[in-house]
Amino acid sequence: MLKTTLTTIFLIVTISQVQAQMTLKHGFYLSQSAGNIDADMSGQHKDLATYQGKDANPSAGGSLYAGLPSASTTIYDGEISNARSFGYNLRYTPKVGFGYELGLYLTKLKMPTQDVALIHDDGSAFKKITGADVVVDSPSSHIKTTDLYLGGLYNFEAVGGITPYVGLGYAKVKGNWYKSYWRGYPGLGDSDEVSGYGQRGKTKVNGHYISAKVGINFNENYNLELEHAKHKIHADSFRSFDINGLDAKFNRTSVNLIVNF
């Protein structure tokens, strides 16, 4: 990824020397999500009865969850409480017209402790052997990714020293999901055998997002943007979704500040 980024920067700098009407600007990028984010997460759920290898009857030492089959499952509206990014931004734009931008950002997504319901593909809820719907007490976790962003910009005519612009872009993301290991079972006590559900370990993630933005450039070296992005991320495994991994989809609206130097 670093080699690709450096090659792209070199090409942009080379082209800028040929087309003098375009301006090359380096910038420091900061991004903060606006409000909470809802994520839908789906994957192949572990067959806990087979894994645990115990009688499903709780009075015999088994698990209330032991009857859960291995099945394709979705969690709707999982909460991401915060998303922040920072990094390097490179822009190659004219005063008016189409230009380009490149970004190399570090992003952190935080998931708080929350209750989540497990849903089958047909929309029906997973059931405990007691007949109740399965609602899991999901521990907090977080994702850290490196994002390589490529986009296009269009600068409008400046008004009073302020230049409005719009943009579209695509980013490839790669990183890790922390506190994602499935060891233990939710809501089953504090013994060594069942404690620690989802509170340790990490798994690899990769994916992408596409985004649209509106922004203004003021005082020549400051850019303030409102951006909306659609994310798709795949985790190699995640807690009880460790057969074929887990896919997450969410939309993020953020406020970005870019300071050029």
Side-chain angles (χ1 to χ4, degrees):
M1 179 178 288
L2 180 58
K3 184 178 179 180
T4 301
T5 303
L6 293 175
T7 301
T8 304
I9 293 173
F10 174 77
L11 290 175
I12 292 176
V13 171
T14 301
I15 295 172
S16 69
Q17 294 174 347
V18 177
Q19 299 181 1
Q21 71 273 22
M22 303 284 278
T23 301
L24 189 69
K25 288 187 176 181
H26 306 270
F28 182 72
Y29 172 94
L30 289 172
S31 177
Q32 172 65 54
S33 60
N36 288 349
I37 302 166
D38 292 333
D40 294 341
M41 298 176 285
S42 59
Q44 189 78 7
H45 194 278
K46 178 184 286 295
D47 183 343
L48 295 187
T50 300
Y51 172 75
Q52 192 171 17
K54 287 188 175 181
D55 192 314
N57 183 355
S59 64
S63 166
L64 289 175
Y65 298 89
L68 287 181
S70 175
S72 182
T73 310
T74 298
I75 297 170
Y76 294 102
D77 297 330
E79 183 183 353
I80 299 174
S81 60
N82 194 20
R84 293 179 178 175
S85 302
F86 71 94
Y88 171 74
N89 180 271
L90 181 69
R91 296 196 168 186
Y92 179 55
T93 58
K95 288 186 177 181
V96 178
F98 288 100
Y100 313 94
E101 70 172 322
L102 169 71
L104 185 61
Y105 310 137
L106 299 178
T107 295
K108 183 175 182 179
L109 307 171
K110 291 184 178 181
M111 279 64 68
T113 300
Q114 57 193 293
D115 290 335
V116 297
L118 304 179
I119 308 296
H120 289 289
D121 281 349
D122 63 4
S124 62
F126 269 50
K127 301 287 185 180
K128 302 177 187 177
I129 62 171
T130 59
D133 293 349
V134 174
V135 177
V136 177
D137 182 14
S138 181
S140 63
S141 62
H142 63 275
I143 299 174
K144 290 183 179 180
T145 62
T146 299
D147 311 343
L148 178 59
Y149 176 91
L150 295 171
L153 298 168
Y154 185 87
N155 283 342
F156 296 95
E157 191 75 40
V159 178
I162 295 177
T163 301
Y165 61 87
V166 295
L168 293 172
Y170 172 89
K172 185 69 176 177
V173 306
K174 188 174 183 180
N176 290 291
W177 196 331
Y178 294 87
K179 296 187 177 180
S180 56
Y181 185 51
W182 52 262
R183 178 187 179 275
Y185 299 94
L188 297 181
D190 298 321
S191 70
D192 290 340
E193 183 178 353
V194 299
S195 64
Y197 176 76
Q199 298 177 39
R200 65 195 71 190
K202 65 181 180 181
T203 189
K204 292 181 180 179
V205 298
N206 63 80
H208 70 272
Y209 66 82
I210 57 174
S211 72
K213 63 174 68 175
V214 295
I216 57 172
N217 174 270
F218 56 96
N219 289 342
E220 292 295 329
N221 292 319
Y222 298 93
N223 300 277
L224 187 63
E225 303 175 341
L226 182 65
E227 181 177 28
H228 184 73
K230 292 183 176 293
H231 294 250
K232 289 186 177 181
I233 293 178
H234 175 78
D236 286 353
S237 65
F238 180 71
R239 295 178 182 158
S240 299
F241 297 88
D242 68 339
I243 299 174
N244 295 319
L246 177 141
D247 294 301
K249 297 188 297 183
F250 58 92
N251 296 333
R252 171 187 175 186
T253 299
S254 59
V255 177
N256 308 333
L257 174 66
I258 301 169
V259 180
N260 298 121
F261 54 87

